[in-house]
């Protein structure tokens, strides 16, 4: 894990979030891109573009933001990009070779009952970029125990476990797996491949209507420092997939970081 992307919003948590990202990156010897994405607008009636003003103000904000943080020797690069959020994030990650995007749950100031705001929710649900959601105000600490929750361990996509493997190896973490037997369970869903078998220390099988519900029931018993889930169109966030906002009342494990891998298939 050598390149980390940190989108910056206007939340009051932005400074502590960037500090976490830098501390995390330092453990891996990674560089950090701190970015803001703005759209292009024209002034009504005059058609005078103001995107150059937005770019200048955004860059000045990022530079001041980075200057307020202890970078601890980590290479931190501030950049602004023009375009639509999802398309631009995907292009930027591709061009820069981003291994992980570290997200605030809420990049803009919104209601306290919200766990994932619209910006972070869009990135999580509409891209396949590996992402780490870090709780507000969370202070960096080495990851000792990981819980990964899956309803199917069938892996067809190459490299999908790399972020998890990197974290396990870097921190010498224990990885426990929660295999969730849903009503749609198929024979072979719980067959772990060699790569996953080598990572896992303990295995738990749970009967539950959804992976989401099983995690809510089991994560406290496992007491992980990191929860790991995978993207599926009708997967972990199925209950709220049509809405980019996720409420805290619907996701009670919002006090630990959540690593979201790209889809396994």
């Amino acid at each position: 894990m050598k390149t980390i992307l940190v989108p910056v919003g206007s939340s009051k948590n932005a400074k502590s979030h960037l500090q976490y990202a830098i501390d995390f990156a330092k453990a891996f010897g990674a560089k950090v891109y701190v970015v803001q994405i703005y759209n292009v607008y024209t002034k009504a009636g005059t058609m005078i573009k103001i995107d150059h003003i937005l770019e200048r103000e955004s860059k000045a904000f990022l530079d001041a933001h980075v200057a307020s943080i202890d970078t601890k020797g980590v290479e931190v690069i501030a950049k602004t990009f023009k375009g639509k959020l999802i398309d631009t994030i995907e292009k930027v990650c591709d061009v820069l070779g981003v291994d992980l995007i570290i997200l605030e749950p809420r990049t803009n100031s919104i209601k306290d009952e919200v766990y994932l705001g619209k910006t972070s929710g869009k990135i999580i649900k509409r891209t396949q970029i590996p992402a780490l959601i870090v709780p507000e105000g969370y202070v960096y600490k080495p990851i000792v125990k990981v819980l990964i929750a899956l309803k199917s361990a069938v892996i067809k996509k190459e490299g999908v476990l790399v972020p998890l493997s990197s974290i396990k190896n870097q921190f010498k973490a224990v990885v426990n797996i929660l295999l969730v037997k849903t009503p749609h369970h198929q024979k072979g869903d719980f067959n772990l491949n060699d790569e996953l078998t080598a990572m896992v220390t303990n295995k738990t099988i749970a009967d539950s209507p959804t992976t989401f519900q099983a995690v809510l029931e089991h994560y406290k018993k496992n007491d992980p420092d990191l929860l790991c889930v995978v993207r599926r169109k009708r997967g972990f966030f199925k209950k709220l997939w049509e809405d980019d906002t996720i409420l805290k009342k619907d996701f009670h494990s919002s006090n630990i970081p959540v690593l979201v891998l790209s889809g396994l298939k």
Side-chain angles (χ1 to χ4, degrees), residues 41-50:
Y41 300 94
T42 57
K43 192 174 181 180
T46 64
M47 298 301 289
I48 298 175
K49 288 188 177 182
I50 63 169

Side-chain angles (χ1 to χ4, degrees), residues 150-163:
L150 301 171
K151 69 175 181 180
S152 173
V154 177
I155 299 174
K156 296 182 179 179
K157 187 184 294 184
E158 187 176 348
V160 69
L161 294 175
V162 168

Side-chain angles (χ1 to χ4, degrees), residues 19-226:
Q19 188 65 65
Y20 178 95
I22 286 171
D23 292 345
F24 184 90
K26 185 175 176 62
F28 290 87
K31 62 183 172 183
V32 174
Y33 284 95
V34 182
V35 303
Q36 268 200 336
I37 295 170
Y38 63 94
N39 230 321
V40 181
Y41 300 94
T42 57
K43 192 174 181 180
T46 64
M47 298 301 289
I48 298 175
K49 288 188 177 182
I50 63 169
D51 56 298
H52 64 288
I53 299 174
L54 293 174
E55 180 180 14
R56 184 175 68 243
E57 291 181 349
S58 181
K59 185 62 165 62
F61 170 79
L62 285 184
D63 288 341
H65 184 49
V66 172
S68 71
I69 302 296
D70 180 2
T71 59
K72 300 183 178 180
V74 172
E75 182 181 3
V76 182
I77 304 161
K79 284 187 173 292
T80 60
F81 296 97
K82 177 173 63 179
K84 294 182 179 179
L85 176 68
I86 298 303
D87 290 344
T88 306
I89 282 281
E90 289 179 328
K91 289 175 183 176
V92 167
C93 287
D94 185 52
V95 170
L96 298 179
V98 169
D99 300 304
L100 183 71
I101 182 168
I102 297 184
L103 292 172
E104 293 184 72
R106 307 180 295 173
T107 55
N108 297 299
S109 298
I110 54 179
K111 296 178 181 179
D112 285 342
E113 64 266 23
V114 170
Y115 168 60
L116 275 191
K118 287 190 175 181
T119 300
S120 299
K122 283 180 181 179
I123 294 171
I124 288 295
K125 294 179 178 182
R126 302 185 190 183
T127 76
Q128 287 296 319
I129 307 161
L132 182 64
I133 307 168
V134 180
E136 295 173 39
Y138 193 82
V139 177
Y140 169 81
K141 63 179 181 179
I143 295 165
V144 177
K145 191 186 295 184
V146 180
L147 175 65
I148 179 170
L150 301 171
K151 69 175 181 180
S152 173
V154 177
I155 299 174
K156 296 182 179 179
K157 187 184 294 184
E158 187 176 348
V160 69
L161 294 175
V162 168
L164 177 60
S165 177
S166 296
I167 288 171
K168 172 182 170 57
N169 293 338
Q170 179 62 40
F171 298 110
K172 304 297 186 290
V174 171
V175 176
N176 297 326
I177 191 167
L178 176 64
L179 296 170
V180 185
K181 190 173 183 180
T182 70
H184 304 290
H185 178 76
Q186 296 181 12
K187 185 178 179 180
D189 277 348
F190 292 171
N191 294 339
L192 277 58
N193 69 5
D194 291 343
E195 183 182 13
L196 196 51
T197 298
M199 285 189 201
V200 170
T201 299
N202 299 301
K203 179 171 67 174
T204 301
I205 295 176
D207 285 280
S208 183
T210 66
T211 310
F212 188 93
Q213 188 171 324
V215 166
L216 297 182
E217 293 170 355
H218 287 268
Y219 92 95
K220 285 185 178 179
K221 184 167 62 178
N222 282 269
D223 193 28
D225 303 299
L226 177 71

Side-chain angles (χ1 to χ4, degrees), residues 113 212 216 239-240 246-253:
E113 64 266 23
F212 188 93
L216 297 182
K239 183 174 181 293
L240 303 140
I246 294 176
L247 301 179
K248 286 180 178 176
K249 71 181 180 65
D250 293 313
F251 186 54
H252 304 291
S253 59

